[in-house]
RNA sequence: GGAGAGAUGGCUGAGUGGUCGAAAGCGCUCCCCUGCUAAGGGAGUAUAGGUUGAUAGCCUAUCCAGGGUUCGAAUCCCUGUCUCUCCGCCA
């Protein structure tokens, strides 16, 4: 959520900057709603003030044993007037609030203009895509060859966009997770957390998935508004919802491994082959919450932490700065890490590192207390995948494949694989 | 699933339908006193919103949440949520 005060005072500027995100802010609508809200609120508060004053007088009169009947007569219609004013205010206030919740975050100045991912700007590239002296397979063929990846049986068990992994490949998947967690905990100073995979609507509103993007979520049946998490960002960032932490506790750095569930509504026909785009996948997520003045540097650091994963796995990748049109709703600036997939001969997103500034914190009322002023201030929140486990698995398979369909184990993963150096060697 | 108890400010913990945003204690901040890491005295110490040039005032809201009764609710009524205890079941 944007600061309502900013919207009031710099509405035109904000509208222009939101334009780079392909968002059309209706200036007239905002102004008229805000004006309505203002008069309705003032009306309610004035009536409340009067009621408080009168009631106080009645109380005092009664204490002195005076006759309060005439005083009661004076306030006879006050209640009705107040109710009327209140119901009017409630309507306007709700409209105003939902408008505020539907406005995306303002892009940072460094966000390039552009409409789609083709306009993203490449910042740097690391590693060189390997030259194969044989025909490189994609992960689907490799997985089939090793009898280790099965989309058909997953479709039987559940439906499309699910997969089962077997034997050494399932083990490699787990090894990747363990490796990433250990890296971020031991070398990057994150605290590992375990969180619910089911969250309520308030949490999703806090991070920005609701109210606008409910169709991307799996909602549970039942009398409660429960959803499967689309990312660990939701439960982890909401650890701080309605909280005020002391300055000494900052920065907060959490790493969290969870499954993620996404309906992928609107992506019919995209990435239908393989496990690039699944309804269920695993991710190791990095989340930071800290002071406003530290968030730019933290964004760079967090992105680097994700990069280290790819560097240690020796996977070729590139870093791109997302253009306005490709930027997420809550993000002010996002770096994507794209890993090289020989099977597609393309770089594909494997991590997305975003700075939300105080956008999520304002929705969540997540704050810290400034020692210098003694006052609470909104936290800045950031997160990034460190990295997506399913896609990392694909990347390792395709980049480390050997002639004949076996797969070498990256050196850093070997300790997690019982020293194994080659998978599918006997198939 | 059954039975019961509870939810008050950073913490502990009072609270009557009326001047309670809320006693007291602790903690914290500032000041005073004190020749020393003791003790004492005083003042202050929530959050959000509105209004405003203003972090000055003023107004409003908030004692788990949402409704209700009332001129007036932390206090009475209803519903829900959460926590705790006991029983049952269970990974």
């Amino acid at each position: 959520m944007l600061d309502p005060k900013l919207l009031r005072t710099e509405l035109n500027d904000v509208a222009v900057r939101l334009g780079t995100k392909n968002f059309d802010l209706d200036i007239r609508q905002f102004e008229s709603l805000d004006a309505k809200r203002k008069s309705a609120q003032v009306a309610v508060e004035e009536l409340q003030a009067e009621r408080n004053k009168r009631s106080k007088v009645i109380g005092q009169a009664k204490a002195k044993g005076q006759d309060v009947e005439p005083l009661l007569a004076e306030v006879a219609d006050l209640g009705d007037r107040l109710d009327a004013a209140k119901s009017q205010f409630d309507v306007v206030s709700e409209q105003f609030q939902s408008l505020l919740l539907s406005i995306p975050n303002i892009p940072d100045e460094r966000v390039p203009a552009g409409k789609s991912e083709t306009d993203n700007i490449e910042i740097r590239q690391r590693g060189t895509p390997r030259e194969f002296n044989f025909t490189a397979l994609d992960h689907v063929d490799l997985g089939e060859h090793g009898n280790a990846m099965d989309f058909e049986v997953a479709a039987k068990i559940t439906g499309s966009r699910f997969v089962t992994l077997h034997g050494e490949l399932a083990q490699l998947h787990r090894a990747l997770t363990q490796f990433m967690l250990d890296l971020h905990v031991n070398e990057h100073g994150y605290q590992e957390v375990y969180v619910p995979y089911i969250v309520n609507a308030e949490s999703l509103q806090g991070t920005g998935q609701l109210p606008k993007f409910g169709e991307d979520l799996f909602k549970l049946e039942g009398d409660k508004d429960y959803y499967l998490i689309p990312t660990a960002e939701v439960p982890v960032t909401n650890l701080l919802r309605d909280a005020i932490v002391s300055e000494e506790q900052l920065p907060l750095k959490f790493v969290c491994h969870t499954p993620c569930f996404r309906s992928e509504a609107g992506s019919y026909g995209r990435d239908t082959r393989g496990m690039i785009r699944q309804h269920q996948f695993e991710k190791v997520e990095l989340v930071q919450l800290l002071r406003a003045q530290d968030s730019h540097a933290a964004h760079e650091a967090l992105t680097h932490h994700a990069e280290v994963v790819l560097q240690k796995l020796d996977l070729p990748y590139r870093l791109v700065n997302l253009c306005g049109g490709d930027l997420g709703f809550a993000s002010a600036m996002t770096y994507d890490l794209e890993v090289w997939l020989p099977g597609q001969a393309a770089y594909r997103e494997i991590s997305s590192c975003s700075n939300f500034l105080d956008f999520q914190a304002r929705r969540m009322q997540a704050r810290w207390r400034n020692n210098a002023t003694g006052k609470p201030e909104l936290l800045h929140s950031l997160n990034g995948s460190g990295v997506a486990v399913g896609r990392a698995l694909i990347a390792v398979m395709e980049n480390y494949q050997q002639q004949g369909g076996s797969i070498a184990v990256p050196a850093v993963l070997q300790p997690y694989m019982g020293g194994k150096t080659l998978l599918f060697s006997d198939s």
Side-chain angles (χ1 to χ4, degrees), chain A residues 197-212:
Chain A
Y197 304 154
I198 294 173
V199 293
N200 57 36
E202 289 73 35
S203 293
L204 287 157
Q205 179 173 301
T207 34
Q209 284 78 13
L210 290 179
K212 285 186 94 170

Side-chain angles (χ1 to χ4, degrees), chain A residues 101-309:
Chain A
L101 286 173
S102 71
I103 299 173
N105 202 359
I106 299 171
D108 189 277
E109 287 94 345
R110 293 167 295 163
V111 169
K115 289 222 178 324
S116 72
E117 60 181 294
T118 51
D119 299 314
N120 295 340
I121 303 292
E122 181 178 300
I123 307 270
R124 57 176 170 265
Q125 229 181 78
R126 287 289 158 79
T128 314
R130 181 180 149 201
E131 300 279 347
F132 290 91
N133 52 12
F134 55 92
T135 307
L137 303 176
D138 79 352
H139 66 280
V140 179
D141 292 333
L142 288 163
E144 224 164 73
H145 167 81
N147 290 317
M149 182 182 283
D150 196 329
F151 295 95
E152 280 176 28
V153 76
K156 177 185 73 179
I157 296 167
T158 309
S160 64
R161 291 204 192 280
F162 287 90
V163 70
T164 61
L165 302 176
H166 303 262
E168 289 178 325
L169 199 58
Q171 205 184 338
L172 184 68
H173 187 257
R174 172 162 58 87
L176 278 163
T177 307
Q178 300 284 80
F179 157 67
M180 294 181 210
L181 283 169
D182 285 347
L183 174 69
H184 297 309
V185 169
N186 297 329
E187 295 184 32
H188 297 152
Y190 288 79
Q191 183 192 32
E192 185 171 349
V193 286
Y194 171 81
V195 295
Y197 304 154
I198 294 173
V199 293
N200 57 36
E202 289 73 35
S203 293
L204 287 157
Q205 179 173 301
T207 34
Q209 284 78 13
L210 290 179
K212 285 186 94 170
F213 307 101
E215 69 277 9
D216 298 330
L217 304 167
F218 284 110
K219 188 170 193 298
L220 301 185
E221 290 282 339
D223 53 350
K224 293 184 174 166
D225 269 348
Y226 282 173
Y227 299 79
L228 296 177
I229 56 170
T231 159
E233 161 192 358
V234 179
V236 175
T237 313
N238 275 280
L239 286 169
L240 274 293
R241 173 149 56 93
D242 294 322
I244 303 177
V245 294
S246 71
E247 191 166 357
E248 288 74 25
Q249 292 172 262
L250 303 178
L252 293 165
K253 295 168 71 181
F254 299 113
V255 60
C256 187
H257 162 233
T258 71
C260 305
F261 303 94
R262 300 187 180 176
S263 75
E264 294 298 341
S267 57
Y268 300 111
R270 286 178 63 193
D271 299 314
T272 49
R273 177 178 167 85
M275 57 182 289
I276 278 271
R277 191 174 300 276
Q278 302 277 283
H279 287 310
Q280 170 186 316
F281 62 96
E282 310 253 324
K283 196 149 58 71
V284 170
E285 187 77 357
L286 305 174
V287 175
Q288 294 201 28
L289 293 135
L290 34 65
R291 307 180 304 175
Q293 57 265 46
D294 300 329
S295 82
H296 280 324
H299 188 207
E300 300 297 325
L302 184 146
T303 304
H304 175 69
H305 296 150
E307 276 187 86
V308 171
V309 172

Side-chain angles (χ1 to χ4, degrees), chain A residues 365-409:
Chain A
Q365 283 301 301
R367 291 163 295 167
W368 64 284
R369 193 175 296 281
N370 186 326
N371 282 341
T373 62
K375 294 293 174 193
E377 295 180 23
L378 291 171
L379 286 161
H380 275 207
S381 59
L382 307 95
N383 69 53
S385 352
V387 299
V389 180
R391 290 189 180 176
L393 181 78
I394 294 173
V396 167
M397 289 172 75
E398 295 190 3
N399 282 284
Y400 280 81
Q401 64 180 295
Q402 309 295 311
Q403 189 153 22
S406 60
I407 294 164
V409 178

